[in-house]
Amino acid sequence: MLKYRIISFPLLLLLALAVAFAGEYGRWIFAALILPVTLAAVLELSGIVRAMQIPVNTTAAAVFSLLVMAKYAPYSLAEKFRAYLPDFLILTVLFLLVLLVSLLFDRNRERAVKALIATPGVTAPVLLVLLPLARIYFEFGAMTFLILVLCTKASDTGGYIAGMLSNKLMKNGNHKIVPAISPKKSWEGTAGAALLSIGTAVIFRQCGCLTQPLWVVIGFGFLAFLGSFAGDLTESQLKRAANIKDSGSWIPGMGGVWDVIDSFIYNAPLFYLALTSGGF
């Protein structure tokens, strides 16, 4: 697994850097990627829910999520195309009407009702994570997007390295923090995650990319770690409930799309709210 991660991680990092520094080409790369990533996230989450014996209308969830992202996320798409898409309220009404009408044509009432309830629950987390990330990129700039991504993923990297090394070097292994949810998470790994997130934020300040006082930047780095940690545990809870190891197998050594973006479950929407309210 480690050898595949060594390959996958640098490639994802290079992609993030290309999106941030390739100018207009970066915007087109982002716009071209966000819809496939959205589709993969819907499919994976639908699979997790189905593994818990809960039916989901995956087609409706995918179409709704893709239309919302196409309308509000990829600003590089032709304005004429986006102009033909209804706004969020109309899309939501149409989405719910489709789910309600499906009750009339499904002889298995129990399955239809469960799908009616579960399908919006599949779309909500996808849009909660990916839509704020896209809005941050297109509204606040590539550098702001990169700062959030790197400070957040630094938590994953620091936790993985510190956890792996401490488990090998300590006589009885490292100290597990929440084994019932995430068996590999340790206090030592968590400390490494926090330090690398904070360190990454401080590096951005030293480079002039962040101009806030040092204590604010340190606080931001810690919050990026905290949100990443909570997001990872949230997805771990879902996977444990479904009794699966990874959300998918798209990315060698890492799993699925959700195994990569789970760090942003809290960071993406909360950071976007902070930016729009002028809190950061």
Side-chain angles (χ1 to χ4, degrees), residues 118-138:
T119 303
V122 167
T123 61
V126 174
L127 296 177
L128 181 70
V129 176
L130 295 179
L131 191 55
L133 279 177
R135 300 286 288 201
I136 288 170
Y137 177 77
F138 287 109

Side-chain angles (χ1 to χ4, degrees), residues 186-210:
S186 65
W187 286 104
E188 293 81 0
T190 302
L195 288 174
L196 194 55
S197 283
I198 293 171
T200 302
V202 171
I203 290 173
F204 273 115
R205 184 179 186 273
Q206 292 299 109
C207 294
C209 300
L210 289 173

Side-chain angles (χ1 to χ4, degrees), residues 78-224:
E79 288 297 324
K80 290 183 179 180
F81 170 74
R82 293 178 58 247
Y84 287 115
L85 294 175
D87 63 24
F88 180 75
L89 179 59
I90 295 175
L91 284 172
T92 303
V93 170
L94 291 174
F95 173 54
L96 295 177
L97 284 175
V98 168
L99 295 178
L100 286 169
V101 170
S102 66
L103 290 174
L104 302 176
F105 299 95
D106 198 325
R107 295 182 179 180
N108 189 328
R109 297 186 186 91
E110 182 179 351
R111 180 183 62 191
V113 171
K114 286 181 178 179
L116 172 65
I117 297 171
T119 303
V122 167
T123 61
V126 174
L127 296 177
L128 181 70
V129 176
L130 295 179
L131 191 55
L133 279 177
R135 300 286 288 201
I136 288 170
Y137 177 77
F138 287 109
E139 289 182 26
F140 296 97
M143 182 53 66
T144 302
F145 171 80
L146 186 65
I147 290 171
L148 173 62
V149 168
L150 293 188
C151 289
T152 297
K153 298 310 290 184
S155 174
D156 289 352
T157 304
Y160 180 80
I161 294 173
M164 180 180 62
L165 291 177
S166 61
N167 195 45
K168 288 184 177 181
L169 296 176
M170 298 179 72
K171 183 178 180 180
N172 298 316
N174 53 27
H175 302 83
K176 306 306 178 186
I177 185 169
V178 279
I181 301 175
S182 185
K184 293 184 179 181
K185 280 201 179 300
S186 65
W187 286 104
E188 293 81 0
T190 302
L195 288 174
L196 194 55
S197 283
I198 293 171
T200 302
V202 171
I203 290 173
F204 273 115
R205 184 179 186 273
Q206 292 299 109
C207 294
C209 300
L210 289 173
T211 58
Q212 291 83 356
L214 181 60
W215 69 270
V216 174
V217 172
I218 291 174
F220 165 70
F222 180 76
L223 290 175

